[in-house]
Amino acid sequence: MTSLPKNPSGVKLGLVIDLDICVGCHACAVICKEWNTSGHSAPLTDMDPYGADPAGVWFNRVHSFEVIGENDEGGRTVHFPKSCLHCDDAPCVTVCPTGASYKREEDGIVLVNADTCIGCKLCSWACPYGAREYDADVGVMKKCTLCVDRIYNENLPETDRVPACVSTCPSNARHFGDLGDPNSDVSKLVADRDGYDLMPEQGCKPVNKYLPPRKAPPAPTPLEPKVTAKGILGWADKLLSR
Amino acid sequence: MHPAKSVILFTTLSGAGYGLFITIVIAFGFGWAAPNMVAIGLSFVLITAGLLSSTLHLSHPERAWRALSQWRTSWLSREGVLAILTFLPMGLFAAFVWLNLPKTWLLAVGGTGAFLCFLTVFATAMIYQSLKPVHAWHNRYTLRLYMHMALAMGAILLNLFNEGWILSVLVLLFLALTSVVQFLYWRFLDDTASASTPESATGLGEFGKVSLFEAPHTESNYLMQEMGYHIARKHSRKLRRLFFILWAFSAILTGFSTIIWPYALSSIAAATAFAATLIQRWLFFAEARHTVGLYYGAESA
């Protein structure tokens, strides 16, 4: 159904990405591809994977941006993982003509029903973030599923019931939880670190939040010099300190 | 945005077909031209050719019937529903004309058909106009461009079937109006840019100027192929000039067709105008940027 849910439950599952910590290792990109060799979106097709011109479908792309301060003072490199932000007001859901693109009422996850998708690609045009890709092999659109086949999976131990990208991040830069609950760990993290939306002017109300790089603490002030002894002791002190 | 041939063909052919039917009904209503079965047939052929072109380019055309279900939210779905509905009064109009039924009957079904044709073009234009990430489409010019183009092509095609000068005046009027809207639209494109920037796309603006340091991968991907295409400024300027030249040439030929060689000149005028429409529609895609480009090195959207 391509109308947005009429009675959303208030649960908004999503990710929080910490741009201060991400080291750009791409482990999250690799494991997303690995996890999705089976499950909801499987398989993610690669075209000409061992040839000269490979291309393929994968969801979690890690961009790297360079940010140059004013007057060219300093620069920083920020590694920027981006996947579907599971927006509250998802335009990809409302533009779909067949109802294949839908947002779940119970947790807000946006998914594609591969059995009814006609591959018109309008949803990928409607998404400002580039979260949706076309799988040329099967002719349907695919996107991040927030590991819906993993987070509710009773066959996994409870600690593993998080999206694959969150479980594998070696620097703990990715967090998963209910951003609709102001008391959840992720919501507190966002409030604490001033987490923000990407492109809020597009009006999609993304659920995923990004934590900005921390500003460097001010340089420490030098210690006051110790009071030196005077007279003979002071001379001995200087001699021995050389 | 990548200009897909099937979409360009669909919007130009179907647009011309819908425009033709609307002008047939208007011309009939005002007594400028009697309804011509060949012209009506041509409008059916153009609309159907356009619709087939867009349906067959889908990866799953066998599921296309599902696209009629989401008319509550999706302009693409609304367009599909309207396109099918439009065939009914159009078909009745054709039948009534053939059966030589009274004018009031013809105007009733013809008027309904023309109105539905208008709504269908409206829905098609709104598919593009409603897309916020594409600044070149998300503005008030898109709807007007589609409507004007459809009416202009429709009038020019109808002129093929009539020797009178009234229709030629109508054609010149539509050509002139379209030129104005087109000029204003291209100036809007040149003078404005999207509110989204690399800084708003990453949220890192407070730290300074943001630029792409390293792409997420070495090879291309679907997003870059579909939405990364953008024509170089000097090429787009040439094509814009070509559009106006062809459009003006079409107007001149239409004017002369009232004096001499009516069928020959109006045919060339129609062909020239159609070529111009293809260029315009191609540019509509090629000059459009998408905000996803901001993540792949574009400095503006």
Side-chain angles (χ1 to χ4, degrees), chain B residues 51-119:
Chain B
L51 289 172
L52 276 179
S53 151
S54 76
T55 315
L56 292 176
H57 107 275
L58 293 171
S59 340
H60 288 277
E62 76 281 4
R63 297 178 189 166
W65 61 272
R66 291 183 183 276
L68 301 172
S69 62
Q70 303 302 313
W71 51 269
R72 280 185 193 88
T73 54
S74 163
W75 280 108
L76 179 51
S77 188
R78 290 168 190 162
E79 180 205 59
V81 171
L82 284 167
I84 291 178
L85 283 179
T86 308
F87 279 123
L88 299 169
M90 279 179 72
L92 281 177
F93 183 75
F96 287 10
V97 167
W98 197 64
L99 291 172
N100 238 314
L101 292 182
K103 182 158 176 167
T104 39
W105 290 52
L106 293 180
L107 278 179
V109 290
T112 314
F115 181 62
L116 283 174
C117 286
F118 167 80
L119 283 182

Side-chain angles (χ1 to χ4, degrees), chain A residues 183-212:
Chain A
N183 294 317
S184 65
D185 287 340
V186 282
S187 296
K188 287 189 198 149
L189 185 58
V190 168
D192 213 29
R193 293 274 310 276
D194 290 329
Y196 59 84
D197 288 345
L198 302 184
M199 286 196 281
E201 68 276 3
Q202 289 287 331
C204 304
K205 304 200 192 76
V207 168
N208 283 14
K209 300 279 183 266
Y210 281 75
L211 305 179

Side-chain angles (χ1 to χ4, degrees), chain A residues 2 61-64 66 68 94-95 97 99 114-115 117 124-128 130 134 138-139 196 199 201-202 215, chain B residues 59-60 63 66-67 70 73-74 133 196 200 202 206-209 211 213-214 216-217 221-223 226 290-291 295:
Chain A
T2 61
R61 296 180 190 263
V62 185
H63 306 246
S64 297
E66 185 177 55
I68 312 276
T94 49
V95 298
D115 293 330
C117 173
S124 63
W125 291 11
C127 173
Y134 175 70
V138 288
Y196 59 84
M199 286 196 281
E201 68 276 3
Q202 289 287 331
K215 297 205 170 60
Chain B
S59 340
H60 288 277
R63 297 178 189 166
R66 291 183 183 276
Q70 303 302 313
T73 54
S74 163
S196 299
S200 75
T202 56
E206 57 169 329
F207 297 99
K209 185 159 159 33
S211 58
F213 176 68
E214 199 169 53
H217 40 77
N221 72 348
Y222 162 75
L223 297 167
E226 182 82 357
H290 191 283
T291 51
Y295 296 107

Side-chain angles (χ1 to χ4, degrees), chain A residues 169-181:
Chain A
C169 178
S171 45
N172 200 31
R174 301 178 74 94
H175 308 268
F176 166 74
D178 180 6
L179 285 142
D181 172 11

